[in-house]
Amino acid sequence: MAQENQTCHYNESMSFFYNNSGAKDSWNQTQLILMRVAGSIFCCFILVSNSMVIAAVITNKRFHYPFYYLLSNLAASDFLAGIAYVYLMFNTGKLSRTLTVKEYFFRQGLLDVSLSASLANLLVIALERYISVLNWKVHSNLTKRRVTLLIVLVWAISIFMGAVPSLGWNCICNIADCSSLAPIFSRSYLIFWSVSNLLVFLVMVVIYTRIYTYVKRKTAVLSPHTSGSINRKRTPIKLIKTVMVVLGAFVICWTPGLVVLLLDGLNCKSCNVMETKQWLLLMAVLNSVMNPCIYSYKDEEMWTTIKNLMRCIGNGTRRQRSTKANARPLSSTQDTGNSQPPSEETKTDEQGILKI
């Protein structure tokens, strides 16, 4: 037992593990500056746009259904991903080697939790769409309590998955098993992580394939008998298309990274996994940028609500500036009693805000 304790390296900095694995996490100064500038712009967009999606679901009663609650939870996972990317950007390159073991676990844990949450949300949404389509309804009959429990379960599983390496599945006490991409993660963990996520991808593709074939068959049966009412049933199909586009973007952006992680876990020496690390990170960031754009483009009601929220924020900002300007004390020549009634333009503007 004493011999095992001597082989553990909890007090070492990350430089020790990088040197042991031969991993190179080096950026030249120009690359680092460009990455941080571009990354900061992308991350600001991720944080703001996903906040708007969550606010749209909260403020618009038409979105108070299980599908949109789960969609807003997916936006919350993208919001967390934006925070994780910011933390990663300013703790990478040469700074990676100065991190402690706990700081590295925290950095990677944020990324793993956000990815797990996105993946779990997409799986739950796929199941919710499957249930609703089988009943040929726009929305499933899941109660708010069950949706809340599903959301709590998603985050519980995600946090656990992100914490697994720090809980013991690492190579701190067995440095011969350390990977290259994540120098304190064991290769066996990378194999488990990548294979499990790829299997979830496969399950979701199977679910949506079954949904598509069912909808196509059902539409073919109903269309000769119901010409007008079938149009009213296109809403669930539109929601399915939205999620399928989101899922497609997620699979395209994350599959290469998972495959590279799998190759690293299999200790492929000739695969040059470190050469693709920066590009894989860029694809992950782009996925979180794309999701709110997809929601807005594919769902007109969502885009209208977001525009109304932005208009409301803009009007509130202008009104605040106007209030500050009008708060200046009146001169002695001004008559406080002869204030003019609000103009018709002001009334119209206020009525429009109330409608929002």
Side-chain angles (χ1 to χ4, degrees), residues 195-209:
V195 170
S196 60
N197 286 330
L198 289 171
L199 285 176
V200 174
F201 284 178
L202 180 61
V203 169
M204 287 191 289
V205 170
V206 170
I207 290 174
Y208 280 108
T209 301

Side-chain angles (χ1 to χ4, degrees), residues 141-346:
N141 294 326
L142 289 174
T143 62
K144 287 185 179 181
R145 183 179 179 182
R146 290 182 179 179
V147 173
T148 303
L149 289 175
L150 284 173
I151 291 174
V152 171
L153 182 62
V154 163
W155 285 105
I157 293 174
S158 303
I159 292 171
F160 174 76
M161 290 294 290
V164 164
S166 62
L167 294 176
W169 200 346
N170 54 60
C171 63
I172 293 176
C173 295
N174 183 19
I175 59 175
D177 189 40
C178 290
S179 63
S180 298
L181 288 172
I184 59 174
F185 285 19
S186 62
R187 288 195 292 270
S188 58
Y189 174 74
L190 292 189
I191 294 173
F192 161 76
W193 174 262
S194 55
V195 170
S196 60
N197 286 330
L198 289 171
L199 285 176
V200 174
F201 284 178
L202 180 61
V203 169
M204 287 191 289
V205 170
V206 170
I207 290 174
Y208 280 108
T209 301
R210 294 200 61 179
I211 289 174
Y212 175 77
T213 55
Y214 177 82
V215 169
K216 189 175 181 180
R217 185 172 64 250
K218 187 80 171 180
T219 303
V221 172
L222 292 177
S223 56
H225 307 286
T226 53
S227 57
S229 60
I230 195 68
N231 292 328
R232 294 194 295 271
K233 294 297 183 180
R234 286 179 180 172
T235 303
I237 300 174
K238 289 170 66 177
L239 295 181
I240 292 167
K241 288 181 179 178
T242 300
V243 182
M244 289 179 70
V245 174
V246 172
L247 175 61
F250 191 85
V251 171
I252 291 171
C253 290
W254 281 101
T255 298
L258 293 174
V259 171
V260 170
L261 283 176
L262 179 60
L263 294 174
D264 189 21
L266 295 173
N267 201 21
C268 179
K269 297 294 186 181
S270 61
C271 298
N272 296 323
V273 294
M274 292 301 299
E275 299 297 326
T276 59
K277 184 176 182 178
Q278 299 170 359
W279 298 105
L280 296 177
L281 177 61
L282 177 62
M283 290 183 69
V285 174
L286 287 177
N287 178 243
S288 295
V289 171
M290 290 166 61
N291 282 345
C293 299
I294 295 171
Y295 308 150
S296 303
Y297 176 74
K298 300 295 290 184
D299 194 322
E300 294 180 3
E301 183 72 21
M302 178 68 72
W303 175 234
T304 301
T305 305
I306 290 175
K307 285 195 296 184
N308 288 338
L309 285 171
M310 291 189 293
R311 190 180 299 116
C312 187
I313 293 172
N315 289 338
T317 304
R318 287 196 296 272
R319 181 174 292 121
Q320 187 177 14
R321 290 199 300 264
S322 177
T323 302
K324 289 181 179 179
N326 293 332
R328 293 194 299 266
L330 295 172
S331 64
S332 58
T333 59
Q334 289 176 311
D335 186 4
T336 59
N338 293 330
S339 59
Q340 296 293 328
S343 64
E344 291 298 325
E345 182 180 355
T346 305

